[in-house]
Amino acid sequence: MSIDDIRYRRLGYIALTVTDLEKSRHFYETLVGLEMDEEPDGRRAFLRCSDRHHDLVIYSGAEPALKRVAWQMESDRALEAVRTHFVRLGIECVAVSPEEQSDLGIGDAFRMSEPTTGVTFEFYSAMADAPSSYQTTHTKIARLGHLVLSSPDRKATEKFLMEEMNFRVSDRIDGMVTFMRCFPNPFHHSFGVGSAKHPGLNHLNFMVTEMGDIGKANNRMKKAGVPIVFGIGKHPPSESVFIYFLDPDGMTVEYSYGMEEFPEHSPRTPRDLPASLESIDYWEGTPDPRMAKVGIVEPLK
């Protein structure tokens, strides 16, 4: 097997640690529009915006943190390819126990610590279906879109993702952020790496199907007293219309509408955009200082 055998279906799910499980459950279910199939058991809750078992899992803990990022591989062969490659690099691959696989609704899976940030990555190829189709409420969420990770050494993180995980770069904003896709997933970015002093969560994203979902969210969050920290705006790299707001722990969540898609073969060349406000927002809005303030990563256990 080679690096070319490491192929992804999608960003599988995101796991967060939250300080008040019930408050966060209410936020993600009622205000964001995710669906929950079973009541939280006091330690964790599964939520979804698809017909899969879950897209987000929140765990109860002492402080808010990014717990792990899970990648769904294209096939069992792709899962074995990435595991074999990491073992050859001397990276420890920790198997997910059968008990936890059952709880998560996934098949064979393993975890490792991304060496430049310490963020836990999980890899699996199969996830169980939800008991019913996802039903939209106030927002027509299309999918879990992406996650942007803060890194104290953005170039090193980008290098590892490209050379050892077969990610592809779509665009960069000089000195600020690299937008990447988990190949051959077509969306402009399923993952981003932003420059910061400490590793941690920058933001997680849900893609919506209508422009109106962005405007409605602006009004809904304001009425609920949820801080809006950036937007409404439009990103030049991906052409996405966006709005960013904070969850109960101050972690940043984004809705976005529209995104460039790349073909598997002969994609355009990545662009290097200048470090300027115009590279972040066509409409030149200014991010609130509270945006992306949670720079905490939970170690692999």
Side-chain angles (χ1 to χ4, degrees), residues 135-155:
Q135 301 297 316
T136 60
T137 53
H138 48 64
T139 302
K140 296 180 178 65
I141 300 176
R143 63 186 60 83
L144 171 66
H146 62 264
L147 178 140
V148 173
L149 175 69
S150 297
S151 172
D153 191 341
R154 182 178 58 87
K155 289 184 178 180

Side-chain angles (χ1 to χ4, degrees), residues 4 7 21 36 44 100 103 135 145 150 168 210 222 249 290:
D4 293 330
R7 294 171 60 91
L21 192 66
M36 191 169 58
R44 57 101 179 101
E100 191 173 8
D103 187 54
Q135 301 297 316
S150 297
R168 307 296 166 89
E210 295 181 1
K222 286 179 178 178
D249 283 303
R290 292 172 293 177

Side-chain angles (χ1 to χ4, degrees), residues 2 97 123 148 158 189 200 252 258 276 279:
S2 70
S97 70
F123 301 84
V148 173
E158 176 188 316
H189 57 283
T252 306
S276 66
S279 295

Side-chain angles (χ1 to χ4, degrees), residues 149-288:
L149 175 69
S150 297
S151 172
D153 191 341
R154 182 178 58 87
K155 289 184 178 180
T157 304
E158 176 188 316
K159 184 174 186 290
F160 180 84
L161 293 169
M162 288 181 63
E163 296 182 2
E164 312 301 348
M165 287 181 57
N166 201 24
F167 277 34
R168 307 296 166 89
V169 172
S170 299
D171 288 311
R172 301 177 183 88
I173 298 179
D174 185 42
M176 296 177 65
V177 62
T178 304
F179 299 102
M180 311 185 79
R181 55 194 191 276
C182 56
F183 184 79
N185 187 283
F187 291 107
H188 180 275
H189 57 283
S190 41
F191 198 68
V193 184
S195 298
K197 291 182 179 180
H198 304 287
L201 176 68
N202 182 285
H203 70 269
L204 67 152
N205 163 276
F206 297 97
M207 297 174 68
V208 301
T209 57
E210 295 181 1
M211 176 78 79
D213 290 323
I214 302 294
K216 290 177 182 178
N218 182 60
N219 293 328
R220 184 172 65 257
M221 298 304 172
K222 286 179 178 178
K223 289 178 182 177
V226 173
I228 295 172
V229 291
F230 195 14
I232 300 172
K234 187 173 183 181
H235 289 312
S238 63
E239 298 292 333
S240 299
V241 176
F242 66 83
I243 186 170
Y244 294 85
F245 46 92
L246 300 183
D247 83 351
D249 283 303
M251 291 186 279
T252 306
V253 182
E254 179 191 23
Y255 277 159
S256 65
Y257 167 74
M259 178 172 277
E260 180 184 8
E261 296 185 34
F262 286 72
E264 179 173 347
H265 304 289
S266 302
R268 68 162 175 79
T269 301
R271 297 169 296 189
D272 290 306
L273 305 175
S276 66
L277 187 58
E278 291 81 3
S279 295
I280 300 171
D281 182 11
Y282 279 121
W283 303 337
E284 300 183 20
T286 304
D288 187 292

